[in-house]
Amino acid sequence: MTADNAEWKTTACVLCSLNCGVKVQLTEDGRSIARTRGDEAHPGSRGYLCNKASRLNYYQNRADRLMSPMRRCADGSYEPIDWDTAIAEIAEKLAAVRDTHGGDKIFYYGGGGQGNHLPGAYSRTSMQPLGMQYRSNALAQEKTGEFWVAQRMLGGWAHGDFDHAQVVIFLGKNPWQSHGFSRARISIREMAKDPERTLIVIDPKRTETADLADIHLAVTPARDAWLLAGMVATLVQEDLVNRTWLAEHAAGLDAVAGVFLDVDIADCADKSGLEEATVRSTARLIARADSVAVLEDLGVQMNRHSTLVSYLQRLLWLLTGNFGRPGTHYTANGLGNLASGDENGVSPVAGARIIGGLVPCNVITSEVLTDHPNRYRAMFIESGNPVHSLADSSRWREALRALEVSVVIDVAMTETARQADYVLPATTQYEKAEATFFNFEFPDNYFHVRQPLFEPPEGPLDEAEIHMRIAEALGAVPEGLEQELIDVLATAGREGFREAVFTKLAEDPALLGIAPGLLYRTLGTVLPAGMRNAATLWAVCHQYAMSSRAALLATGLEGEGMDLGDALFDALVSEPSGVIFSREQWSDVWARVPGGTVQLELPDLLADVAQLNTESPEETTAEFPFLLSAGERRSFTANTIIRNPEWRRKDAQGALFINPDDAARLNLGEGSTARISTRAGAQDVLVALNDRMHKGHVSLPNGMGLDYPDAEGVLKKTGTSPNELTSSELRDEYVGTPWHKSVPARIEAVD
Ligand SMILES: Nc1nc2c(c(=O)[nH]1)N[C@H]1C(S)=C(S)[C@@H](COP(=O)(O)OP(=O)(O)OC[C@H]3O[C@@H](n4cnc5c(=O)[nH]c(N)nc54)[C@H](O)[C@@H]3O)O[C@H]1N2
Ligand SMILES: Nc1nc2c(c(=O)[nH]1)N[C@H]1C(S)=C(S)[C@@H](COP(=O)(O)OP(=O)(O)OC[C@H]3O[C@@H](n4cnc5c(=O)[nH]c(N)nc54)[C@H](O)[C@@H]3O)O[C@H]1N2
Ligand code: SF4
Ligand SMILES: [Mo]
């Protein structure tokens, strides 16, 4: 129960990347979230919430909460151990791998989910002393292809100005359920209502978003490359490109036009399952529009030709001049860059391209399960559940057990934790200050550091503290340094602290590695109550204030020299609903494009375009005649952030959606059980007939199939883990992203 006059505390929802601002009232005992409402003062969500935010207490209060470090026993069970033992053993074992085989054989996975990116920042504290080099996270199974293409064409990832675009296109994206931009449901309704605006949805499924669209292009599953190539070819062949704009802003038009002049549009239309007239008329509509904004997501990113599709969709709006002005696309000015498309060499065993520092998720297990001398021999996983969320769960279980040592930091005993040698309990995202770098707004961009709602219980620690303890056990923290910096703070204040930190770093650059943990232990002690975990952002703020001074001053924040960085940091740790840290103009977007010139010509991808008409795509076989969309966003899915199945108000089991005609052919009725089989495995699933589904295409939701203790404490699994059915080999040739949305499958009735 809540007292009616209980204080409304300010925080954010952690169930998707939007992190909408939330006001909560706690129960009288102060331990649970009793009521939630939107936070009007939050700069991004401005009071908006979707149906999921009212369920946040299921994240905070849970029967599966980890309360103590756990060590795996010989029989696969786990025993609680104390922190000192855990840290000492982990540091010793990881140091042994480093000393025998090299620190680059210790792999880091994770660092944050939809609501928490600070573990990733603090992880450096232990990674650097261990000499770790290779890492990855979930972005390398969805967005790295898009980031790579965006970097090469525009110098960075561009976001759409959806609220002002005349034509909005959602490509393999269902924002009604998955959001992906602020206040999505309100925006989509506004687009639908306005007769001057056109909403186009490209999705084999008639989604909730498609219901509101002016044009729904129900592309044949996995054939978006042909559809988009046909549209780009229409622009070129009907001379609909914006030559004036391109002459001023872009390079490479001739090379691109040369390839698309030869593309057979009728063949493209045919292969994508759409009429040629529709392909052409949609391209004309885009060419005629005042402004166009496009959002691609998993429907194409986790699918065949995904990197090529990221390129083709950009050509569509760049050839028509839809970048760098209102209603089109912009590269945002971030406090950190989550969307780097830089190439950083290749992975040590598979030789897979590393984008933005991330090894493709789909090659990680093959870099463990091998006798190659460069294989990973140890793994550190935090705030990620790769056994459940990456392709081929059974291979992941095998890979984790093959390692010499594995460590998981989480709030719950997850599918991944159950394979680890050590499991360390973290405080929840409502027990410490947390934040994400998912901030892509423009012309004003904001950052939200959430203040904690609860005191952490005895047992779990902040990730910062865990990494710092490991660094200390490794002997990487100079004796007395922490106390010295605390003393400086007490005697010389922030200015003196700044000077002391920079002097120390200049004397010993190796300290840069442990700096995040050191900030937590020093600066963290003098921050407002509960905000200690925000300490590492101090360094981020200083970096930002140096590189983006004008955008920061334009927000009204003041400070001479380095005081400006401190002023931003102080604002972040004291403003409960977030702070605007960047105020820009459209000309600033152009300043971020290298040389101010958009690069249209990407030769490798143009070569792919040139052979699309000769390709005869055949995704299915006689053995596997269906395509499974493995992991769809529905009204009650949120990755694996909430594990208690009771949080779902509908679709409790996460049914297999199948077109009624397909179901009839297979003798499958509503509520019946079907066996779905793929190359990787077979699962029994509950069937739901759904006329939104494209024939031949079936879907299972993401985030299902999690273990959770029932009232007697017995673990029960609800629904199907999609990645028991996926394979790591089905992946993009450039960046290794998986083809989860078109997994060949067979479906049979089970009596
Ligand atoms: N409710 C909810 N929201 C979430 C999440 C969640 O778990 N639950 N997760 C968050 C995360 S991590 C992400 S990355 C985003 C993902 O957000 P989305 O990408 O929107 O999510 P999905 O439902 O996986 O896929 C989008 C659409 O792709 C379509 N699709 C399938 N095959 C094809 C195809 O061949 N071509 C095309 N054009 N479309 C196809 C599907 O029918 C589906 O409607 O959602 C975020 N938001
Ligand atoms: N087949 C298929 N697979 C998919 C998808 C799909 O569409 N199809 N979607 C993919 C996508 S786009 C994504 S983003 C991934 C998401 O998959 P993951 O990257 O595994 O992310 P989450 O499910 O958010 O899991 C995050 C973990 O963080 C833990 N956690 C929560 N709070 C804290 C905290 O404060 N500290 C620590 N240390 N841990 C915490 C949670 O308990 C959970 O175990 O799944 C991917 N998997
Ligand atoms: S799940 Fe809903 S309320 Fe939560 S952040 Fe996403 S859009 Fe906002
Ligand atoms: Mo994601």
Side-chain angles (χ1 to χ4, degrees):
M1 286 305 295
T2 7
D4 281 340
N5 56 357
E7 178 199 356
W8 285 94
K9 295 179 173 241
T10 308
T11 183
C13 173
V14 299
L15 299 180
C16 88
S17 62
L18 263 293
N19 297 167
C20 297
V22 184
K23 292 279 203 186
V24 301
Q25 274 183 327
L26 305 187
T27 50
E28 260 168 44
D29 64 8
R31 294 216 193 115
S32 308
I33 299 171
R35 291 205 190 105
T36 37
R37 63 173 168 85
D39 177 9
E40 305 285 342
H42 188 273
S45 58
R46 290 174 279 133
Y48 176 90
L49 292 179
C50 79
N51 60 300
K52 295 185 286 300
S54 65
R55 316 298 276 172
L56 283 170
N57 193 51
Y58 285 94
Y59 164 76
Q60 174 61 25
N61 284 290
R62 47 202 302 164
D64 60 352
R65 180 81 192 269
L66 270 170
M67 297 303 279
S68 158
M70 306 292 266
R71 180 172 59 198
R72 191 180 169 97
C73 308
D75 65 356
S77 65
Y78 286 82
E79 60 181 352
I81 53 173
D82 62 68
W83 273 108
D84 288 347
T85 308
I87 297 289
E89 290 188 13
I90 290 168
E92 190 195 318
K93 289 185 182 178
L94 290 175
V97 174
R98 173 194 63 191
D99 298 341
T100 314
H101 305 289
D104 57 341
K105 310 303 182 310
I106 311 173
F107 193 82
Y108 178 85
Y109 185 81
Q114 300 293 293
N116 61 325
H117 291 167
L118 298 184
Y122 283 113
S123 65
R124 222 162 20 109
T125 311
S126 60
M127 278 182 80
Q128 204 253 9
L130 285 165
M132 292 163 68
Q133 275 184 30
Y134 295 104
R135 68 185 174 95
S136 194
N137 62 41
L139 288 170
Q141 49 92 62
E142 49 173 323
K143 301 276 176 292
T144 34
E146 183 179 25
F147 294 165
W148 184 53
V149 166
Q151 187 96 2
R152 294 164 75 194
M153 297 180 87
L154 291 159
W157 184 67
H159 199 59
D161 184 10
F162 302 109
D163 282 336
H164 304 105
Q166 193 191 13
V167 172
V168 171
I169 304 176
F170 296 125
L171 173 63
K173 171 81 197 166
N174 181 15
W176 187 268
Q177 296 298 10
S178 67
H179 290 80
F181 60 97
S182 294
R183 302 158 60 85
R185 291 179 184 173
I186 293 176
S187 288
I188 296 167
R189 274 206 209 94
E190 279 169 5
M191 290 168 204
K193 265 199 323 236
D194 188 339
E196 304 294 313
R197 303 178 70 198
T198 306
L199 174 59
I200 303 176
V201 169
I202 303 177
D203 195 314
K205 181 177 180 180
R206 199 184 76 245
T207 59
E208 297 82 354
T209 313
D211 281 340
L212 293 167
D214 300 284
I215 300 174
H216 173 210
L217 302 180
V219 61
T220 297
R223 301 286 178 82
D224 296 81
W226 285 273
L227 170 58
L228 294 176
M231 296 211 285
V232 174
T234 304
L235 296 178
V236 169
Q237 293 175 23
E238 297 188 8
D239 199 17
L240 299 170
V241 302
N242 188 337
R243 289 188 181 277
T244 326
W245 188 90
L246 291 171
E248 192 183 342
H249 294 294
L253 176 60
D254 289 348
V256 169
V259 171
F260 282 93
L261 274 176
D262 290 334
V263 167
D264 178 345
I265 300 171
D267 175 69
C268 286
D270 189 45
K271 286 174 179 159
S272 64
L274 292 158
E275 297 292 328
E276 180 180 349
T278 309
V279 174
R280 286 185 184 265
S281 64
T282 312
R284 288 176 201 139
L285 189 142
I286 291 167
R288 274 199 310 267
D290 295 335
S291 57
V292 179
V294 184
L295 185 59
E296 66 162 82
D297 213 341
L298 303 185
V300 290
Q301 292 176 345
M302 288 186 170
N303 221 327
R304 291 145 207 266
H305 288 303
S306 58
T307 301
L308 176 59
V309 167
S310 294
Y311 177 52
L312 291 169
Q313 67 100 336
R314 279 171 176 71
L315 284 178
L316 209 54
W317 47 265
L318 287 170
L319 289 173
T320 48
N322 284 295
F323 175 78
R325 57 186 179 80
T328 65
H329 301 83
Y330 56 82
T331 51
N333 187 32
L335 203 53
N337 182 10
L338 204 66
S340 165
D342 286 339
E343 281 193 49
N344 315 95
V346 296
S347 67
V349 176
R353 186 180 269 119
I354 295 177
I355 303 293
L358 306 176
V359 171
C361 293
N362 275 47
V363 311
I364 299 171
T365 52
S366 62
E367 301 207 317
V368 174
L369 296 170
T370 166
D371 52 13
H372 193 288
N374 292 340
R375 67 184 178 274
Y376 310 131
R377 292 167 186 265
M379 210 178 286
F380 211 118
I381 300 171
E382 75 183 319
S383 201
N385 187 0
V387 166
H388 183 275
S389 58
L390 300 187
D392 201 339
S393 296
S394 62
R395 222 170 130 74
W396 261 94
R397 287 187 287 266
E398 193 188 337
L400 287 183
R401 292 315 312 142
L403 294 165
E404 287 172 30
V405 52
S406 51
V407 182
V408 165
I409 303 180
D410 207 296
V411 298
M413 196 72 194
T414 66
E415 290 67 24
T416 302
R418 271 176 221 294
Q419 305 301 326
D421 297 322
Y422 294 91
V423 186
L424 304 178
T427 48
T428 71
Q429 298 176 41
Y430 294 122
E431 293 164 352
K432 63 194 171 220
E434 257 300 355
T436 69
F437 292 90
F438 288 133
N439 313 100
F440 305 110
E441 303 286 318
F442 174 87
D444 284 2
N445 201 3
Y446 67 88
F447 195 86
H448 185 195
V449 183
R450 282 133 39 198
Q451 303 181 354
L453 300 174
F454 305 99
E455 282 288 326
E458 198 64 37
L461 295 176
D462 295 350
E463 292 85 352
E465 178 64 24
I466 299 174
H467 288 292
M468 191 61 177
R469 288 191 188 184
I470 294 173
E472 285 171 328
L474 290 164
V477 185
E479 197 88 23
L481 178 58
E482 182 181 326
Q483 193 54 50
E484 190 185 334
L485 290 174
I486 289 177
D487 293 345
V488 171
L489 271 169
T491 54
R494 198 69 78 70
E495 212 176 317
F497 178 75
R498 219 158 55 200
E499 257 182 55
V501 169
F502 289 116
T503 312
K504 294 278 174 204
L505 288 177
E507 284 167 12
D508 182 3
L511 289 179
L512 200 59
I514 60 158
L518 203 54
L519 285 172
Y520 173 86
R521 285 276 189 84
T522 56
L523 180 62
T525 62
V526 299
L527 297 181
M531 297 308 281
R532 184 173 193 176
N533 202 47
T536 190
L537 292 170
W538 179 78
V540 176
C541 288
H542 278 294
Q543 262 166 5
Y544 175 79
M546 276 188 274
S547 61
S548 286
R549 200 169 180 86
L552 183 50
L553 287 171
T555 67
L557 210 67
E558 290 173 2
E560 292 294 319
M562 293 202 59
D563 287 345
L564 188 60
D566 273 282
L568 173 59
F569 177 69
D570 287 334
L572 287 181
V573 295
S574 55
E575 287 295 332
S577 297
V579 174
I580 292 179
F581 68 89
S582 173
R583 180 157 291 164
E584 294 194 315
Q585 300 181 348
W586 284 93
S587 55
D588 295 306
V589 170
W590 281 104
R592 281 192 280 276
V593 178
T597 305
V598 174
Q599 300 300 327
L600 300 172
E601 182 188 358
L602 301 187
D604 41 4
L605 295 164
L606 278 176
D608 289 356
V609 174
Q611 55 80 52
L612 278 174
N613 290 130
T614 60
E615 221 180 289
S616 317
E618 264 179 89
E619 299 83 3
T620 54
T621 59
E623 191 187 1
F624 298 120
F626 280 88
L627 287 180
L628 166 67
S629 186
E632 172 179 85
R633 272 67 190 162
R634 295 185 186 166
S635 51
F636 286 97
T637 69
N639 293 346
T640 68
I641 301 163
I642 300 180
R643 301 178 61 88
N644 183 343
E646 281 170 26
W647 88 281
R648 270 178 228 109
R649 286 190 205 264
K650 47 181 169 186
D651 190 25
Q653 291 290 319
L656 179 84
F657 287 170
I658 182 167
N659 182 283
D661 293 348
D662 287 335
R665 266 195 305 117
L666 297 169
N667 278 323
L668 290 171
E670 179 76 14
S672 65
T673 302
R675 178 155 309 139
I676 179 160
S677 313
T678 66
R679 236 166 64 185
Q683 296 281 313
D684 286 352
V685 292
L686 178 77
V687 170
L689 307 194
N690 189 317
D691 68 1
R692 294 174 175 279
M693 294 305 295
H694 198 284
K695 280 187 203 149
H697 201 207
V698 294
S699 81
L700 281 172
N702 71 316
M704 299 296 299
L706 304 174
D707 294 329
Y708 193 77
D710 67 9
E712 278 76 50
V714 180
L715 286 181
K716 288 267 160 65
K717 196 187 279 294
T718 308
T720 303
S721 304
N723 290 310
E724 300 291 346
L725 295 165
T726 61
S727 312
S728 44
E729 289 75 29
L730 294 182
R731 62 176 187 244
D732 183 75
E733 61 173 301
Y734 294 101
V735 298
T737 40
W739 296 348
H740 288 337
K741 304 300 177 189
S742 58
V743 179
R746 181 173 67 251
I747 296 164
E748 295 148 301
V750 176
D751 332 297

